[in-house]
Amino acid sequence: MTGRRHLVPALLAVAWTVTACSPQSPAAAGAAGANLRAEIVRTVDHDPNAFTQGLEIDGTELLEGTGRPGESWVQATDLDSGTVRARAELPSPLFGEGITVSGDTIWQLTWRDGVAVVRDRATLAEQRRVPFDGEGWGICALPGALVTSDGSPTLTFRDPVTFAPLRTVQAMQDGNLVSRLNELECADDGAIYANVWTTDALVRIDPSDGRVTAEIDASAVRDALPPGPRDVDVLNGIAQIPGTDRFLVTGKYWPAMFEVRFVP
């Protein structure tokens, strides 16, 4: 593990230059039903005032969405320069939740406000609001579908244009439902990774049937947190670094973000 440093140089060394060894796919990191752990590769700065709800790398940008009324925003940060290229506030009393990119659109969930906000990918400007039933927690994009969580074991697959529900699966591990699914990441290996709210664990889910194929102990990242100006909240936020077996993870009001790989 290297020392703490600014986000961009730390990521560029890995995210955009795949060198000496070929990246191992997350699926290859452990067999079905495996117990994995988060191994810290490096630590980078994170806004300690960000109540992180959604995290995603798209192209050369890191996208982040936050929550709480009056503190909810979406931000695009350039990975080459570290500059915040665009930022859009979500007006109070809306409570922002997960975000994802689908084509030229960013989808931003709200918690209990019953709407998803559709934003222009380039400018982050709000284009429209789409009503939906229930709570919004996490969201990610698979080819041909958006996937959302609502704090229950249910993952809902939605039309990427209309947001209409298409089907659902229940997250199951050893015959038991896995609840409190929060932030989601649709990864290159075809799996869905989910934060489990109030814990330092993540799960890897097969989107075809909801089967949990790995449980990931990420307590090492909390143990490595430096002091910050606010009391930290739960682990939340996961984004795969494209073309690698590595992910960024962080949490609500965390002063650091961690580049990790999931290993046995």
Side-chain angles (χ1 to χ4, degrees), residues 102 107 109 114-116 118 128-133 139-140 144-148 155-168:
S102 178
W107 287 85
L109 296 181
V115 293
V118 181
R128 58 192 173 103
R129 296 184 185 181
V130 179
F132 68 94
D133 294 329
I139 185 170
C140 67
L146 301 173
V147 187
T148 61
L155 293 178
T156 301
F157 294 74
R158 299 177 179 273
D159 184 281
V161 176
T162 67
F163 211 60
L166 302 173
R167 67 181 180 96
T168 62

Side-chain angles (χ1 to χ4, degrees), residues 1 6 16-17 19 35 37 41 46 100 105 153 189 193 209 211 218 232 244 258:
M1 171 179 166
H6 292 297
W16 316 122
T17 307
T19 56
N35 290 320
R37 61 181 175 86
V41 177
H46 180 249
T100 198
T105 296
D189 63 345
Y193 290 74
D209 58 9
R211 180 172 50 93
V232 297
T244 78
F258 298 90

Side-chain angles (χ1 to χ4, degrees), residues 7-61:
L7 169 68
V8 174
L11 289 183
L12 285 178
V14 176
W16 316 122
T17 307
V18 180
T19 56
C21 55
S22 329
Q24 180 187 28
S25 74
N35 290 320
L36 306 178
R37 61 181 175 86
E39 176 186 75
I40 298 173
V41 177
R42 65 185 73 212
T43 306
V44 296
D45 291 331
H46 180 249
D47 182 355
N49 293 309
F51 195 75
T52 303
Q53 303 283 33
L55 201 66
E56 186 160 335
I57 295 174
D58 182 55
T60 59
E61 292 189 323

Side-chain angles (χ1 to χ4, degrees), residues 52-56 97-99 137-140 149 180-185 192-196 202 236-239:
T52 303
Q53 303 283 33
L55 201 66
E56 186 160 335
E97 284 283 346
I99 62 167
W137 287 47
I139 185 170
C140 67
S149 62
R180 298 182 293 177
L181 300 180
N182 199 0
E183 151 78 336
L184 305 177
E185 173 71 357
I192 298 170
Y193 290 74
N195 285 106
V196 181
L202 303 104
N236 202 46
I238 175 172

